[in-house]
Amino acid sequence: MPRIPRYLLIWLSCTAASVTAVLGTVQFVVGSTRHTPPVARSAPAVVETPPAWTAVPAPSPSPQSPSATASGSPGATERPSPPASTPTSAKAPTATPRTTAPKPPVDCTGGGYGLHTVPSEGGKVTVRYGNRGVCLISAVPGRGYKAATSQTADDTLTVTFTGADHRSVITATITPSAKASVRETSF
């Protein structure tokens, strides 16, 4: 075989081998670093305990026992009577504390569409869509933003991230179907 075709054949085979090696390496690197969407994990079980502010008020002091009144010394639960010279009003206001039953938590445990994370410029919100409501799992504001949440109904949750010159409002609902909308406002 003449010299020039032999060098040309060697050069072509070396070039083909190097191009194949480079393409295989690039394909391996791109395939192994492909972006995968985040996987939602189930939230840990939460034990429902009533908040401190909903605690039942302490019972009013019981009447004194007969032995404490017989000794004549005031007991720990006895209040001194007001002096006779103090004028009393005809109708004393009664201060009965208003207690309302705490609102039951939103039921997000059964069925539904599961956990979803919704990103925005102001932060990220993770919600759980259930059959009967939307539950907030986490609201993580970005740097310079503050988070505020509101849930007027079990089926709609609104999270607002407010910054110095921007506001992100994320609304998650299950009515008519599970969805989340993001509204970005710059001012």
Side-chain angles (χ1 to χ4, degrees), residues 4-184:
I4 293 178
R6 189 173 28 166
Y7 287 137
L8 185 62
L9 183 63
I10 292 172
W11 178 78
L12 284 175
S13 61
C14 289
T15 303
S18 64
V19 166
T20 304
V22 167
L23 286 176
T25 304
V26 168
Q27 195 168 27
F28 172 75
V29 170
V30 169
S32 65
T33 60
R34 183 174 301 149
H35 175 70
T36 57
V39 177
R41 298 180 187 158
S42 62
V46 177
V47 177
E48 293 293 328
T49 56
W53 53 269
T54 62
V56 177
S60 60
S62 61
Q64 284 185 312
S65 64
S67 63
T69 56
S71 66
S73 64
T77 60
E78 182 180 0
R79 292 185 183 178
S81 61
S85 63
T86 305
T88 58
S89 63
K91 185 176 181 181
T94 58
T96 57
R98 291 186 184 183
T99 57
T100 59
K103 182 180 176 186
V106 179
D107 182 21
C108 293
T109 56
Y113 295 96
L115 287 175
H116 291 281
T117 300
V118 183
S120 70
E121 189 174 326
K124 291 182 182 179
V125 174
T126 302
V127 295
R128 178 185 298 274
Y129 292 107
N131 280 340
R132 291 184 220 111
V134 179
C135 295
L136 176 67
I137 302 298
S138 69
V140 181
R143 178 171 276 183
Y145 287 87
K146 292 182 182 179
T149 62
S150 68
Q151 188 162 12
T152 56
D154 289 349
D155 61 352
T156 303
L157 172 74
T158 303
V159 178
T160 305
F161 295 112
T162 307
D165 59 351
H166 190 81
R167 180 180 10 205
S168 300
V169 178
I170 300 172
T171 304
T173 185
I174 60 170
T175 305
S177 64
K179 65 179 178 177
S181 62
V182 180
R183 189 175 71 219
E184 303 282 353

